[in-house]
Amino acid sequence: DKAAFTDKGVLRDSGQFDGLTSEQAFDAIAEYLQEQAKGHRTVNFRLRDWGVSRQRYWGCPIPMINCGGCGSVPVPEDQLPVELPADVVLEGSGSPLKTDRGFIETTCPRCGEAAERETDTFDTFFESSWYYARYTCNDFDQGMLDERANYWVPVDQYIGGIEHAVLHLLYARFFHKLMRDLGLVKGDEPFRHLLTQGMVNKDGSKMSKSKGNTVDPQALMDRYGADTVRLFMMFAAPPEQSLEWSDSGVEGASRFLNRLWKAVFRHVSAGVAPALAADTLNDGQRAFRRKVHETVRKVGDDVGRRYTFNTAIAANMELLNEVGRFKDESPTGRAVLQEALELVVLMLSPIVPHISHELWHALGHEDSVVDQLWPHADDAALVKDSIELVVQVNGKVRGKIAVAADAGDELIVDSALGEPNVARFMEGKALRKSIVVPGRLVNLVAG
């Protein structure tokens, strides 16, 4: 009684459409109007015409000729491509093509009279929408693409900024399907997988020249090195999320790389480590090596499947902490430590390539780290001889026990009952039930 009801609901006082929901009525009324020849269905798209011309020099020339008698006439195919003149003077305002009579003046291919070449250039999306295919055969000069494109296309992994997540991908699909229809490529889509990167923020807002809040990385690279800046940017946030810039974060990345450098050179200063014999390790060495290969497995998944480079870096930071706590100076211990440091360098090499190159050589290798295969975890190293279980009595934690990894439930319960603190809480009580959660805990129900 105060205003019109505008929400979707159920029709009333609507004749044959009474009782229909709004969604049902949309279809029913449309069908009725079509049957009565009083209307028809129309699908409205949100696409708009694409204004492709730009008044600037840098760009692909639009191959059209403007003739006073014939109007706009396409440049004949045998005169393509139209190339930008190289002897222009860029004065900083407007397109130099507008005043370059040598480029402008031509003849109409239809009537032969004097005409003028179009001076607008295409939107740069015209180049960036199919460059991924052109890269595969950039030396081909008889057309756009040759058969090499089909070896590489579709692109396995496309990485782009979030501001291009709609238009660039839309235009790339337009061009790809056009090239497919022309027989230049096979397949319907240009990319298999997409990773859209987030923005870089500073002081809570997007970095941009217009806001004056940009950071020149050159000053930071001069002070800390390019690797430190790369490490900070990849550690600060997952790639698909926004990154908040922090100078103190750069300092933290620098400290980590310094720790890694010192760990490697402290190790190599003691001499060449012997070859690793995995079947001769003691319990402490096996536990440390298991941590190393658990990290290799996690980092491989973070980088190869999840693209969470920040957690991959964090896992290597944790592993370096373990390296610092590993004090085994025996020949076998040094062999295990050599493997650990080599794997850390390999896992970090795509992120910090320069320091990794130096440390790889310092660890005794003559070839380059960039030529190495990505490391894979040793399944044998991941096998646990024993596991630690939490022991609960009536749902409350009362102790921990270590048992063989393949121990049965009966042995686990016996070990739990033998734990001194557990035995204290079980004193005078009968064991009514035991619940073993494999690899995690055992709960004793007493009464």
Side-chain angles (χ1 to χ4, degrees):
D1 58 351
K2 294 181 180 178
F5 182 77
T6 59
D7 293 337
K8 293 182 178 179
V10 178
L11 273 64
R12 293 287 184 268
D13 300 324
S14 301
Q16 68 190 76
F17 306 112
D18 270 3
L20 297 180
T21 65
S22 296
E23 289 78 3
Q24 293 170 336
F26 290 148
D27 291 332
I29 293 173
E31 291 172 2
Y32 174 80
L33 291 173
Q34 285 191 172
E35 291 171 357
Q36 300 297 316
K38 295 179 178 180
H40 63 274
R41 295 172 183 264
T42 299
V43 177
N44 294 317
F45 293 94
R46 294 185 178 181
L47 295 176
R48 298 293 183 267
D49 288 342
W50 178 14
V52 297
S53 61
R54 299 293 183 269
Q55 290 74 48
R56 60 188 175 201
Y57 169 75
W58 298 108
C60 177
I62 297 177
M64 299 295 292
I65 292 173
N66 300 311
C67 174
C70 303
S72 295
V73 181
V75 173
E77 187 172 349
D78 60 2
Q79 296 179 23
L80 296 177
V82 177
E83 297 183 352
L84 291 172
D87 56 349
V88 298
V89 177
L90 299 173
E91 298 178 345
S93 61
S95 171
L97 296 179
K98 300 291 185 183
T99 57
D100 188 338
R101 301 309 302 178
F103 175 77
I104 294 175
E105 294 176 358
T106 185
T107 57
C108 175
R110 185 171 295 166
C111 68
E113 296 295 324
E116 293 188 347
R117 195 180 300 279
E118 176 60 57
T119 57
D120 281 4
T121 56
F122 278 121
D123 184 338
T124 51
F125 276 120
F126 266 70
E127 291 90 0
S128 64
S129 293
W130 64 286
Y131 71 91
Y132 59 90
R134 180 61 180 173
Y135 275 173
T136 67
C137 51
N138 67 318
D139 58 346
F140 182 59
D141 59 4
Q142 303 301 310
M144 293 173 63
L145 304 172
D146 65 16
E147 67 279 356
R148 287 173 289 180
N150 281 314
Y151 175 82
W152 296 100
V153 173
V155 175
D156 292 303
Q157 179 66 56
Y158 181 88
I159 301 174
I162 194 169
E163 292 191 330
H164 292 273
V166 177
L167 289 182
H168 180 265
L169 296 177
L170 183 69
Y171 298 148
R173 296 184 73 218
F174 284 170
F175 272 76
H176 188 88
K177 293 176 188 298
L178 171 62
M179 293 189 296
R180 175 204 61 191
D181 294 346
L182 293 174
L184 296 173
V185 294
K186 299 176 182 177
D188 294 332
E189 299 293 341
F191 315 120
R192 294 185 191 275
H193 302 284
L194 168 67
L195 175 62
T196 301
Q197 294 175 303
M199 304 297 295
V200 179
N201 296 332
K202 189 172 189 297
D203 302 326
S205 60
K206 182 182 74 171
M207 263 195 200
S208 68
K209 290 181 289 185
S210 62
K211 294 182 180 180
N213 64 344
T214 58
V215 174
D216 184 357
Q218 188 60 53
L220 290 170
M221 287 190 287
D222 291 341
R223 180 177 178 184
Y224 296 106
D227 279 346
T228 298
V229 179
R230 288 165 61 103
L231 182 71
F232 160 68
M233 293 186 69
M234 300 189 76
F235 180 61
E240 73 277 5
Q241 296 181 14
S242 295
L243 181 158
E244 182 66 32
W245 187 268
S246 166
D247 290 346
S248 61
V250 181
E251 294 171 1
S254 178
R255 288 194 297 271
F256 167 69
L257 292 181
N258 284 330
R259 286 176 52 220
L260 176 60
W261 183 277
K262 290 176 182 177
V264 169
F265 278 90
R266 184 167 54 246
H267 169 71
V268 299
S269 64
V272 178
L276 176 64
D279 56 348
T280 65
L281 306 186
N282 61 33
D283 290 345
Q285 293 161 352
R286 279 197 297 272
F288 176 67
R289 188 166 186 259
R290 182 167 59 249
K291 173 63 177 177
V292 172
H293 284 270
E294 286 173 348
T295 303
V296 172
R297 181 175 61 183
K298 171 177 170 48
V299 171
D301 185 58
D302 287 348
V303 172
R305 181 181 66 88
R306 300 174 63 224
Y307 305 116
T308 53
F309 309 120
N310 58 318
T311 58
I313 295 171
N316 275 285
M317 290 178 171
E318 293 177 9
L319 181 55
L320 190 61
N321 291 336
E322 293 290 333
V323 167
R325 289 189 284 266
F326 187 69
K327 303 298 184 182
D328 191 338
E329 298 293 338
S330 68
T332 305
R334 296 196 70 250
V336 174
L337 184 58
Q338 173 80 17
E339 180 194 41
L341 291 170
E342 288 180 352
L343 289 170
V344 171
V345 170
L346 286 173
M347 288 186 285
L348 290 175
S349 60
I351 300 169
V352 286
H354 306 92
I355 190 174
S356 298
H357 178 84
E358 294 295 330
L359 294 180
W360 187 249
H361 287 314
L363 287 166
H365 300 279
E366 295 183 359
D367 50 0
S368 296
V369 69
V370 72
D371 294 325
Q372 307 310 305
L373 296 175
W374 182 256
H376 293 279
D378 182 352
D379 291 337
L382 298 173
V383 176
K384 293 183 178 181
D385 296 328
S386 63
I387 55 175
E388 187 177 67
L389 300 178
V390 171
V391 181
Q392 297 178 339
V393 177
N394 293 334
K396 295 184 178 180
V397 176
R398 300 303 185 188
K400 295 181 179 179
I401 57 172
V403 297
D406 57 354
D409 288 358
E410 184 176 350
L411 178 59
I412 291 174
V413 172
D414 289 342
S415 299
L417 291 170
E419 203 278 333
N421 196 52
V422 172
R424 184 167 67 89
F425 282 92
M426 291 291 296
E427 187 175 352
K429 300 176 182 178
L431 178 64
R432 295 186 173 183
K433 187 178 182 181
S434 62
I435 303 169
V436 177
V437 180
R440 294 180 60 191
L441 61 85
V442 54
N443 186 29
L444 306 177
V445 181

